[in-house]
Every structure is written in structure tokens, then in C-alpha cells.
Amino acid sequence: MKTRLLGMNPEELRKVAAEAALPKFAAGQMARWLYVKKVRDINQMTDISKEGRARLSEKYEVGVSAWTDCRISSDGTKKYLFPVEGIFGRGSSAAGRTEKAAVEAVMIPDKDRATLCVSSQSGCRMGCHFCMTGRQGFHGHLSAADIMSQFIAADESDMLTNAVFMGMGEPLDNYDNVMRAIEILTAPWGFAWSPKRITLSTIGVLPALRRYLDESRCHLAVSLHNPFSDERLSVMPVEKTWPIRDVVELIRQYDFSGQRRVSFEYTMFSGFNDTKRHADALIRLLSGLECRVNLIRFHKIPDFPYGTSPDVIMENFRDRLGRAGITATIRTSRGEDILAACGMLAGKHRTLQDRETDNEI
């Protein structure tokens, strides 16, 4: 199997250039082709000699994985399915073959913005009860190449304005690969995006969260969902290891009064976390912190006892936070009809081999 160039930084590309007997400046050429021109084949790197490209191709490939399925919502949201290298699902096909894993990414258009919601893992280890990704178990970490491939292979690649690490998986559980992807997105030799265009969402993996806050200037979104520890624990097992109060106390140590923002994601479940008692506890938890609370409608999934809160309850909850000085908004739901909304990504797919097997039967 060839090594993928996608995901490499200039230092690594210099080593590749040396191995292929190319001049040092070829590393910069390769970076430009990978991250500015977004080519998918080494032979498209036309300012590298034909002989040099041939030597590169002996051991290396660009490594962009084309999407294998795309579904378009009535609101313009698009959900892509991508295969991932070296990761396999739990199931086997009828012929006994292990099924290669796939992940989903969602492109969300909004006036002059095009945001890509990317995945960082196949499955997830956090096990939140209301999340379809968490229910499928954990299959593996995505490499930086797998993450960047989502940005390049999406049809809207050249139109993207923002990125959110809110797809499948817990980004801070795959810290090194996610931060490599963020480096490529923000570096002058990469996509050259401002950190303000990127948001990372986490349930609060404390050791990695501290590193992220120290090493990045990108925005942060924290999945909170309940201010009471015992209630949060009943749907989010991570509360036992990293309590939300400890997460908030860590965040208080950092400055969010400038360009970097922190928000708290709060999916509203009818009768579970949408009462005045919950609103007041949330106010106490976040008091004095420069932040925003995003109230999210829950999209019903099988075998979960709660439905979404009625609009009037969500509005009252929002207004109660607002009167206490906490900015709160009700997030517009996008892509629900194609299972692309919050918590609904499951990476369901069938391989070409499976379909061929069905045809044989």
C-alpha cells in the first residue's frame, strides 16, 4: 500500500522530496498542489519533473478518498459518505468479508457561508445515549489524511468558508490527528484559513481540552445538555470521568472576550432538562463566563425515552437565560430529512462487495 501525501506538513514533505531525489523546494511545490490546488493525483503536480513524479508515484499517492454516497436535503444541506483507510466496521458481509468503515460529513449552506461539518473518528467511545454515532461503538481514529480528504473531496471544496469538528467522533479523543488537520487548515502553506473560521465541539475531555485551549486559537463548543451531574451522567457516561463543572472551571481560566468564542450546546429533551430548575442551574453554572448557549431541538432516535421540547418551552428557556445575561439562541435544524442533523450521523452504508453478493444470490 502506498503512503499518502495528504496530511503531511512541509518538514515531512522535505523528507519525501529527499527520498525521491527531488530538490528541497519540491516540498513547497507539493504542499501547494495538495492544499491550494487540491489535486488528487501526483501526475497533476506539473511543475515537478516527469521523472520526479514517476519516482514519487512508486511509493506515494495523494490519498484523497472520493465520496461514495451523497444525499441532499430539502433545505440544501448535503450529507457525504466517505470510506476511511485502514479502519473496518464490526460486521461482516454474507461472504464473510469484513466491511470497511465509512464516515459522514455534512455541508451546510447559509447565505454567503458554506460550512463543512467533519468527522474525526469512525464511531465514538463516549457512548452518549442520544447520539446515533455513539451507539455504533468505536472503530478507529481518522488520520489527518482522512480528515483533510473530507474537505477536498466535497463538491463544494473551493466554496467552503467554515469548518466545524462536530461530525462523527469526539475530536479531542483523536487530538494529534485533529490538530494536524487544524494546522493544515490555518497554516500559510495550507488552506491559510483564519482560526475564527473553525469550531471544535467536545463533550469535555479535560487533558486534551487544556492542550487545545493552549495550542489553538479556534473556537470551542462544549456539549453540556444538563447542568445537574447525576442527570447528565444518566445520558452521558463521560460525566463520571470529566464532570461538566470541572470542564467549565477549566474554561474560566482562559480569555474568551476577544476573537475566540466558547459556546455550550444544549439539546433539549422534553421533561428531562427543560424546566425552570434546569435553566436556573445552567445560569449558576455559567455565571460570569463570556459565552453563548445554543439550544438544539432533539431529533428522535429509536430506544431513547425522550422527545424534543415544545417550541414554547424552548423559547421560555431561552428568554430566562437571556434575562440573566446569558446569550442564548435556538439553533435552526438543518438536514433532518437526510439524517444529517445533530446526533444523527451513523455512517450507515453497504459496500460494493455486499451489493454484488446480493446480486449473486
Side-chain angles (χ1 to χ4, degrees):
M1 181 179 293
K2 294 182 179 181
T3 300
R4 302 162 85 183
L5 295 175
L6 192 64
M8 291 188 181
N9 60 28
E11 181 180 352
E12 291 162 335
L13 291 172
R14 280 191 287 272
K15 294 178 181 178
V16 170
E19 182 182 330
L22 296 172
K24 289 183 179 180
F25 62 78
Q29 293 174 311
M30 285 188 280
R32 184 170 64 255
W33 286 111
L34 291 170
Y35 305 125
V36 180
K37 300 292 186 180
K38 302 175 185 174
V39 299
R40 302 193 185 192
D41 192 286
I42 288 174
N43 282 322
Q44 293 177 281
M45 301 180 178
T46 53
D47 58 0
I48 297 175
S49 70
K50 185 177 180 179
E51 295 77 11
R53 281 178 272 153
R55 290 194 297 272
L56 278 175
S57 297
E58 290 175 1
K59 293 185 177 180
Y60 297 95
E61 61 182 354
V62 169
V64 175
S65 298
W67 55 264
T68 56
D69 192 17
C70 176
R71 300 185 181 185
I72 304 176
S73 168
S74 58
D75 62 22
T77 298
K78 293 176 71 173
K79 182 173 71 170
Y80 292 101
L81 187 74
F82 293 102
V84 290
E85 294 290 335
I87 299 176
F88 296 87
R90 296 183 184 276
S92 297
S93 71
R97 291 181 289 264
T98 301
E99 187 175 285
K100 188 175 181 179
V103 298
E104 294 171 347
V106 178
M107 192 286 299
I108 308 167
D110 185 14
K111 298 179 181 177
D112 58 346
R113 293 163 62 102
T115 300
L116 192 67
C117 177
V118 296
S119 294
S120 56
Q121 295 177 316
S122 175
C124 184
R125 289 198 283 208
M126 301 299 116
C128 297
H129 298 179
F130 49 85
C131 176
M132 290 298 292
T133 303
R135 290 185 171 199
Q136 73 176 35
F138 176 70
H139 307 310
H141 297 303
L142 268 61
S143 66
D146 289 324
I147 296 171
M148 291 308 304
S149 185
Q150 297 170 64
F151 287 96
I152 294 173
D155 292 346
E156 300 77 16
S157 180
D158 292 332
M159 302 165 49
L160 296 175
T161 61
N162 296 81
V164 289
F165 286 81
M166 295 183 181
M168 300 172 69
E170 164 55 59
L172 294 185
D173 190 38
N174 187 18
Y175 186 83
D176 291 338
N177 287 317
V178 167
M179 290 304 293
R180 170 63 67 91
I182 289 176
E183 177 190 16
I184 294 169
L185 290 172
T186 57
W189 48 263
F191 279 32
W193 283 12
S194 165
K196 294 186 295 182
R197 297 168 65 175
I198 302 167
T199 300
L200 179 145
S201 177
T202 178
I203 60 174
V205 181
L206 278 175
L209 177 57
R210 183 180 293 276
R211 289 185 62 191
Y212 175 76
L213 292 172
D214 287 337
E215 299 171 8
S216 168
R217 299 303 302 169
C218 299
H219 301 312
L220 174 69
V222 177
S223 296
L224 199 158
H225 309 307
N226 201 304
F228 295 107
S229 180
D230 57 337
E231 295 179 12
R232 188 172 189 257
L233 178 61
S234 70
V235 294
M236 299 179 70
V238 71
E239 174 68 16
K240 183 175 182 179
T241 305
W242 297 302
I244 191 60
R245 288 192 172 277
D246 293 349
V247 173
V248 173
E249 286 309 306
L250 172 63
I251 291 171
R252 288 186 184 279
Q253 299 173 25
Y254 293 83
D255 181 15
F256 287 95
S257 61
Q259 293 187 332
R260 181 164 63 168
R261 300 190 304 269
V262 59
S263 60
F264 292 89
E265 310 297 293
Y266 198 93
T267 300
M268 298 199 69
F269 307 110
S270 183
F272 176 71
N273 66 350
D274 61 353
T275 69
K276 292 180 180 179
R277 179 176 69 92
H278 291 93
D280 291 342
L282 188 58
I283 290 167
R284 292 193 296 271
L285 179 66
L286 303 181
S287 178
L289 183 61
E290 188 75 24
C291 67
R292 174 186 296 271
V293 175
N294 291 318
L295 304 178
I296 303 169
R297 292 180 177 85
F298 177 58
H299 306 285
K300 186 68 176 175
I301 63 174
D303 302 320
F304 187 73
Y306 302 105
T308 193
S309 302
D311 285 353
V312 65
I313 296 294
M314 295 186 70
E315 291 164 2
N316 290 340
F317 198 97
R318 174 199 62 195
D319 295 345
R320 195 170 184 87
L321 296 183
R323 288 192 294 271
I326 296 177
T327 301
T329 57
I330 299 173
R331 178 182 290 170
T332 301
S333 181
R334 302 294 300 270
E336 183 179 1
D337 56 331
I338 57 170
L339 302 181
C342 291
M344 299 182 75
L345 298 184
K348 291 183 178 179
H349 68 292
R350 304 182 68 216
T351 64
L352 178 59
Q353 288 180 334
D354 287 339
R355 292 195 294 270
E356 289 174 345
T357 299
D358 288 346
N359 291 336
E360 291 170 3
I361 295 172

